[in-house]
Amino acid sequence: MFSKILIANRGEIACRVIKTARKMGIKTVAVYSDADKDALHVAMADEAVHIGPAASAQSYLVIDKIVDACKQTGAQAVHPGYGFLSEKREFQEALGKAGIAFIGPDAHAIFAMGDKIESKKLAREAGVNTVPGYLGVIKDADEAVKIAREIGYPVMLKASAGGGGKGMRLAWNDAEAHEGFTSATNEAKTSFGDDRVFVEKFIEQPRHIEIQVLADGQGTTLYLGERECSIQRRHQKVIEEAPSPFLTPETRKAMGEQACALARIVNYKSAGTVEFIVGGATGEFYFLEMNTRLQVEHPVTEMITGLDLVEQMIRVAAGEKLAITQDDVKLNGWSMEARVYAEDPFRNFLPSTGRLTRYQPPAESQHVRVDTGVYEGGEISMFYDPMIAKLITYGPTRDAAIAHMRQALDEYHIRGLSHNIPFLASLFSKERFVKGQLTTNFIAEEYANGFHANDLPADDPTVLIAVAASANRRIAERDIRISGQFPGHEMRAGDEWVVVMSGQYHDITVRPAENGYAVTIGSETVDVKTDWQIGEPLFRAVVDGRAVAVQIERAGSGLRLAHAGSRADVLVLTPHAARMNKLMPFKAPPDMSKYLLSPMPGLLVKLLVEDGQEVKAGEALAVVEAMKMENILKAERDAKIAKTHAAAGDSLAVDQKIIEFAS
């Protein structure tokens, strides 16, 4: 067994590998860029080596720097995580030449299966069903349009070396195919250094289901069940679960055996994933690709099988045979994974960067697991993926796993930047999701007009009113004790207050009760049992027998509560103060409709208009790049450009003016 390994990655996956290595008694080496010098994975590792500037092309993607770091530290093996160099055969070959083990498959398997075009050709030769498409290299956008017409719309344009939703565009017509090819090519070149793009038929109403395989290269190849990955946005997985609520045991077995057969063709060893697209109506499945690495969503498989996939990868790389057979693989219970991202779902999911001023994940238990690479006070950089964490839950049934997830989302306390927890809370509350009626079109169909506040799950306002009243009462009790006005004197029972929430005024009384308070709202009395202490960001309580977790913080002269994905600013006032509050004037925000504002912090790659130009609704105005993704900003209506406020190459802040339209 290795005594020291290097993790050629960053963030949560680097931390994840370090945890297993530590459990196995293996020392670890982290690598880091300028942007990651204070990162959690650097602090967790036994050693750390600086490898260059913030841009991944000058640090995490430079093979020679990783090999040199191994030589400096004496690392005997490298775990690549996912992304970056994990599916670069040149990396595996360079490590091999240096006498360093690669914790993953060999170069032949990486090339054969890691390249989307070559893997489909090999799958066809092996008799595996594949999605109809054109696997040749496309020279330009015009040829992409021609091929798309021949295949028949809709089509998917995909980067051959792609992954993680990068370099992918869905096209329903010639214009979208032309534009999509250009954007996919640019993203592919930026993210992977490989601008090849291919086209395939887009299967409507599909499910995305993948099979986890594990092989030792010594004759044993296993499948560890499936993962349902159909909940996607912009081709990026958002929620994954294991097992799938759709597959029958017969289909699971057929897909698993086919995945193993594909792995055996290239004498695969290590953990890998064979991805399939499954027709929701017919149940027929088609091979999409094989990822020759650990998947982001691997924890849900670990939760239902009891296997540590990182440990298995390390043992196989060290030359050990797998200690289990296919009959030993049992699927127990249900697991969910939600990807918590630094992005603003209310602004079309635009990336959000900055410092985590408050960060408190839910407590881990047998039902809750948090894989993260951040900490309170750390930063989410514009240079890398905006993932904050992976939140994983487990239960004996699917409903139980969902219930644990909804509670854990309520308990996840993040401040300082925008995050997608409100969107996740909404997803897990959708009736279609709860019933398991999933397709890759789920988000597009359920949120056809984007994500808005009215998409949040319905919440009982009584709970928030009762929590606000109870918290205010406890704060008032504290203030009286501090002031010494009434030393040792309990507050007068039946104190009257007015709770102002969402513009509504609610008359209440709050009385001390056993282990908490009795809050009367109108004619209804609510029992609130809580041991919450002032300053704690999470108000845990049992409200009329229902366990709730409400995030709470000061907001001006009132309180800000967050629950079930939504936030509410609440004032708890005396009756006189409430009457005065109704008389306060409302200050309208300034009108910014005549400006094109940057919806995110990023780089202005292209400015496509100039002063005095007439533009039509839908016309592209600018291209902003953030988190390695190109975002095309388009005109919402016909207009004339009065003035440009930024130029190509500028670094933009969120809401920075780019273009001013004529009035």
Side-chain angles (χ1 to χ4, degrees):
M1 181 50 63
F2 310 118
S3 59
K4 183 186 290 188
I5 65 173
L6 181 144
I7 298 98
N9 217 298
R10 62 174 302 281
E12 62 86 15
I13 186 55
C15 296
R16 161 73 187 89
V17 175
I18 290 170
K19 288 179 181 178
T20 287
R22 183 180 295 162
K23 181 182 68 175
M24 297 175 69
I26 301 172
K27 292 189 177 298
T28 55
V29 179
V31 292
Y32 65 95
S33 69
D34 289 346
D36 279 340
K37 58 184 175 60
D38 297 319
L40 184 60
H41 75 280
V42 175
M44 287 181 62
D46 296 292
E47 300 174 63
V49 178
H50 177 251
I51 54 171
S56 56
Q58 301 174 55
S59 51
Y60 294 104
L61 290 172
V62 182
I63 293 173
D64 290 345
K65 290 184 177 182
I66 306 297
V67 174
D68 287 344
C70 291
K71 293 177 178 178
Q72 290 175 37
T73 59
Q76 302 153 304
V78 170
H79 196 298
Y82 42 71
F84 291 143
L85 296 170
S86 62
E87 293 179 286
K88 288 284 186 182
R89 65 170 178 171
E90 297 86 355
F91 184 44
Q92 196 271 356
E93 291 170 340
L95 290 172
K97 289 178 182 178
I100 302 163
F102 180 72
I103 302 175
D106 61 24
H108 168 65
I110 292 173
F111 173 75
M113 290 287 102
D115 184 289
K116 290 180 173 60
I117 292 176
E118 294 303 319
S119 66
K120 287 179 183 293
K121 290 179 179 178
L122 186 59
R124 284 183 177 179
E125 293 173 7
V128 177
N129 287 341
T130 58
V131 179
Y134 179 81
L135 300 182
V137 176
I138 303 168
K139 64 180 181 180
D140 56 31
D142 289 337
E143 185 180 16
V145 170
K146 179 182 176 183
I147 293 169
R149 287 176 179 172
E150 293 172 353
I151 295 173
Y153 291 108
V155 299
M156 183 70 75
L157 297 100
K158 290 185 177 181
S160 180
K166 303 291 192 303
M168 295 177 65
R169 290 293 188 277
L170 175 61
W172 294 83
N173 53 51
D174 290 354
E176 291 181 359
H178 194 282
E179 183 181 279
F181 176 83
T182 302
S183 293
T185 300
N186 291 340
E187 282 183 11
K189 187 173 183 179
T190 299
S191 299
F192 313 110
D194 183 343
D195 64 0
R196 291 176 300 151
V197 170
F198 67 97
V199 182
E200 66 182 13
K201 181 71 175 176
F202 179 71
I203 306 298
E204 298 184 67
Q205 298 299 317
R207 282 179 178 258
H208 186 135
I209 298 176
E210 58 191 31
I211 301 292
Q212 176 70 58
V213 297
L214 183 63
D216 58 16
Q218 301 181 55
T220 301
T221 303
L222 312 174
Y223 64 93
L224 309 181
E226 80 282 359
R227 294 185 289 259
E228 173 81 59
C229 304
S230 297
I231 305 299
Q232 303 177 9
R233 188 186 60 78
R234 295 177 182 169
H235 316 300
Q236 176 79 45
K237 298 166 188 172
V238 178
I239 296 173
E240 301 97 350
E241 61 181 292
S244 166
F246 179 71
L247 291 195
T248 63
E250 294 76 18
T251 304
R252 176 180 297 116
K253 184 173 185 292
M255 292 176 71
E257 290 176 348
Q258 183 168 313
C260 287
L262 193 61
R264 292 189 188 100
I265 289 175
V266 291
N267 193 31
Y268 194 85
K269 69 174 184 177
S270 194
T273 297
V274 181
E275 301 196 356
F276 294 92
I277 191 167
V278 183
T282 64
E284 295 179 348
F285 55 88
Y286 303 91
F287 169 72
L288 282 178
E289 61 182 329
M290 182 175 187
N291 291 308
T292 56
R293 53 168 167 81
L294 195 65
Q295 289 279 87
V296 177
E297 57 272 20
H298 75 275
V300 293
T301 297
E302 294 182 326
M303 298 294 272
I304 66 167
T305 63
L307 295 171
D308 184 328
L309 292 180
V310 173
E311 178 181 350
Q312 297 299 320
M313 293 177 74
I314 293 172
R315 293 192 179 282
V316 167
E320 295 185 12
K321 288 179 63 68
L322 289 174
I324 58 174
T325 66
Q326 190 64 58
D327 290 340
D328 296 322
V329 178
K330 307 296 182 185
L331 307 184
N332 299 306
W334 218 285
S335 184
M336 298 276 171
E337 176 179 298
R339 303 188 187 192
V340 181
Y341 283 116
E343 61 187 13
D344 190 344
F346 297 105
R347 298 177 60 140
N348 198 28
F349 299 91
L350 295 173
S352 177
T353 60
R355 188 173 299 278
L356 290 159
T357 56
R358 293 299 301 270
Y359 180 74
Q360 180 178 307
E364 294 195 82
S365 66
Q366 63 176 329
H367 299 296
V368 178
R369 166 177 164 180
V370 182
D371 283 13
T372 187
V374 304
Y375 57 91
E376 187 167 295
E379 288 197 33
I380 301 295
S381 167
M382 66 176 288
F383 295 101
Y384 311 115
D385 186 275
M387 183 183 287
I388 295 173
K390 299 182 309 197
L391 178 60
I392 306 106
T393 58
Y394 173 83
T397 65
R398 189 171 186 270
D399 286 345
I402 292 174
H404 287 302
M405 178 63 74
R406 295 183 69 174
Q407 179 76 4
L409 289 170
D410 280 347
E411 296 177 5
Y412 218 130
H413 186 72
I414 301 171
R415 297 293 183 270
L417 43 73
S418 299
H419 54 77
N420 68 333
I421 286 178
F423 179 60
L424 296 174
S426 176
L427 280 171
F428 280 101
S429 72
K430 290 288 185 181
E431 183 179 0
R432 271 183 64 190
F433 182 85
V434 173
K435 290 182 176 179
Q437 298 170 352
L438 316 177
T439 75
T440 56
N441 300 323
F442 183 94
I443 290 177
E445 292 169 354
E446 292 290 320
Y447 306 92
N449 298 314
F451 181 70
H452 306 284
N454 57 9
D455 290 309
L456 292 167
D459 202 3
D460 183 356
T462 301
V463 172
L464 295 185
I465 294 170
V467 167
S470 300
N472 184 76
R473 175 68 182 243
R474 187 148 290 179
I475 292 169
E477 291 171 349
R478 188 275 312 268
D479 292 346
I480 287 176
R481 288 195 301 271
I482 291 174
S483 69
Q485 292 181 24
F486 303 99
H489 179 70
E490 293 185 0
M491 291 189 69
R492 176 168 46 88
D495 275 1
E496 295 182 356
W497 303 87
V498 177
V499 172
V500 185
M501 185 175 73
S502 302
Q504 300 294 314
Y505 288 70
H506 306 271
D507 295 326
I508 65 166
T509 59
V510 186
R511 296 180 176 86
E514 183 180 359
N515 299 321
Y517 303 96
V519 180
T520 301
I521 308 167
S523 60
E524 179 184 2
T525 299
V526 179
D527 181 52
V528 180
K529 297 185 184 302
T530 182
D531 58 1
W532 177 76
Q533 298 299 315
I534 299 167
E536 293 179 353
L538 197 65
F539 190 105
R540 293 179 181 275
V542 177
V543 180
D544 273 356
R546 172 189 170 192
V548 299
V550 179
Q551 296 180 29
I552 185 169
E553 59 189 317
R554 289 278 197 176
S557 58
L559 300 171
R560 178 164 295 156
L561 307 180
H563 183 244
S566 63
R567 287 191 185 186
D569 286 341
V570 181
L571 290 174
V572 185
L573 306 172
T574 64
H576 175 72
R579 288 192 294 272
M580 295 300 101
N581 191 69
K582 289 181 179 180
L583 302 176
M584 294 292 288
F586 173 73
K587 183 179 180 180
D591 181 10
M592 302 298 288
S593 61
K594 69 175 183 177
Y595 296 102
L596 173 68
L597 306 177
S598 178
M600 74 205 85
L603 176 69
L604 181 57
V605 178
K606 294 177 184 177
L607 186 62
L608 304 173
V609 295
E610 57 187 25
D611 294 0
Q613 182 177 334
E614 300 277 355
V615 296
K616 297 293 184 182
E619 185 174 341
L621 304 175
V623 179
V624 177
E625 181 184 287
M627 302 290 186
K628 299 187 290 186
M629 294 285 283
E630 282 195 351
N631 300 273
I632 301 174
L633 309 184
K634 299 181 179 181
E636 294 182 352
R637 61 185 183 279
D638 294 356
K640 182 178 181 179
I641 307 300
K643 184 179 180 181
T644 56
H645 290 269
D650 286 356
S651 292
L652 303 173
V654 65
D655 286 336
Q656 182 173 332
K657 296 175 184 176
I658 301 175
I659 295 170
E660 181 177 346
F661 301 104
S663 299

